[in-house]
Amino acid sequence: MKKRSTLSALLFTFLLSCWSYASPTPNRTPLVAKHLVEVRITGQNLVGLGAELTVRSVLNWKQGYNPGHSFTQSFTEANVSQTYKVGNFDATDYVEAAITLKNVTRDSRIQPAVNSFLKIEIITDGKVGETTQLDANAKGWKVEYDPHLRAIVSVDAHQW
């Protein structure tokens, strides 16, 4: 009995695969889903720290370096709370945002005060993705001195 059911299942699977192979499929171009990417930056007590935001994108990044929309914004005021629309991107694109405190290096006299911070969030279709913060205790895999105190967040195809 078991032999017969196994043989029936194999025959059914074979016939099903033949039928789907022979079925005509219309030529359709795949729909490319576009995703709205935004960057939100907030911070306080930033005077003298050289706060800066850099956003860059690469279009169809698996095919090589094809630069997309990029911009840099410096902040001289004490506090910042701003959201920037970077653009609409599909699953072959890459968007990266970096925050930097240009006057802060590992050995500099200028360091963030205890109540200073600069935070960045990358938002895709209204949902917050990666986020990181620069402050007096900034550390972790997203934070580095290069040579200035800097942090990076990104979004790419595997996240959509």
Side-chain angles (χ1 to χ4, degrees):
M1 186 73 167
K2 187 172 185 170
K3 231 184 223 188
R4 179 177 251 170
S5 64
T6 305
L7 185 56
S8 297
L10 288 172
L11 182 59
F12 177 74
T13 304
F14 173 74
L15 290 173
L16 186 62
S17 65
C18 289
W19 175 71
S20 65
Y21 179 75
S23 299
T25 55
N27 290 337
R28 295 184 199 161
T29 56
L31 295 175
V32 177
K34 293 287 185 178
H35 301 276
L36 174 62
V37 177
E38 299 171 293
V39 172
R40 180 169 41 225
I41 185 166
T42 54
Q44 70 181 22
N45 299 319
L46 299 171
V47 173
L49 297 178
E52 185 176 272
L53 166 68
T54 304
V55 176
R56 74 178 186 98
S57 62
V58 179
L59 306 176
N60 199 10
W61 67 277
K62 291 182 180 179
Q63 299 298 316
Y65 183 70
N66 304 305
H69 180 65
S70 298
F71 66 91
T72 300
Q73 179 69 46
S74 296
F75 304 98
T76 57
E77 60 274 5
N79 301 321
V80 63
S81 180
Q82 184 70 38
T83 301
Y84 297 93
K85 179 180 174 184
V86 181
N88 291 302
F89 298 91
D90 63 38
T92 64
D93 302 330
Y94 174 82
V95 180
E96 174 182 279
I99 51 176
T100 307
L101 298 178
K102 297 201 75 75
N103 296 339
V104 178
T105 62
R106 190 177 303 276
D107 302 322
S108 71
R109 291 183 340 200
I110 299 173
Q111 295 294 318
V114 175
N115 60 352
S116 296
F117 75 89
L118 185 62
K119 180 179 179 180
I120 188 168
E121 300 167 296
I122 197 155
I123 304 164
T124 305
D125 296 330
K127 295 179 184 172
V128 176
E130 285 189 7
T131 181
T132 192
Q133 180 170 306
L134 297 177
D135 56 29
N137 300 312
K139 58 185 170 197
W141 68 272
K142 295 179 188 177
V143 177
E144 64 185 2
Y145 283 90
D146 185 26
H148 313 286
L149 185 58
R150 175 184 166 131
I152 298 173
V153 293
S154 64
V155 63
D156 62 30
H158 78 275
Q159 295 170 314
W160 287 325

